[in-house]
Amino acid sequence: MVSTTSFDHWSDQQAGLTECARVLRPGGHLVLVDQFSRLLAPTLVTSRRGKARTRRRATRLLLRAGFCSPRWHRLYAVIINAVTAAKPS
């Protein structure tokens, strides 16, 4: 399952990730690409409060949704990153 640069717009990121985990087969992988950076932290107190804009927050949401082994990858510049996570077998 792949999501590119839409995660920031999900109204309920936790519910969306939980649904991704539900529909993936055991051992399946999620690839999530979006803007994740400490540079975006100021947006957490203004327009994007409650959104996962940092790796730390996104990792917490992934683990809470039931994914395991999140691995981060820098894709473009400083803020575009990808995380891959697996649904346990």
Side-chain angles (χ1 to χ4, degrees):
M1 180 172 290
V2 177
S3 171
T4 58
T5 61
S6 70
F7 185 63
D8 188 55
H9 301 284
W10 296 8
S11 61
D12 187 335
Q13 292 174 324
Q14 186 66 70
L17 290 173
T18 300
E19 182 64 7
C20 289
R22 185 187 73 77
V23 301
L24 273 175
R25 66 176 171 76
H29 287 81
L30 171 73
V31 178
L32 184 62
V33 179
D34 217 307
Q35 296 180 17
F36 299 105
S37 173
R38 286 189 301 258
L39 297 174
L40 298 170
T43 66
L44 295 173
V45 294
T46 58
S47 63
R48 295 313 217 189
R49 184 172 58 231
K51 298 291 183 177
R53 302 281 286 181
T54 63
R55 289 179 175 200
R56 184 177 176 184
R57 288 182 82 156
T59 297
R60 271 198 318 259
L61 291 176
L62 286 162
L63 295 174
R64 202 176 302 145
F67 287 98
C68 63
S69 307
R71 294 185 54 213
W72 285 92
H73 314 271
R74 180 172 289 160
L75 296 182
Y76 182 74
V78 177
I79 63 172
I80 302 295
N81 291 274
V83 61
T84 57
K87 179 175 178 175
S89 299

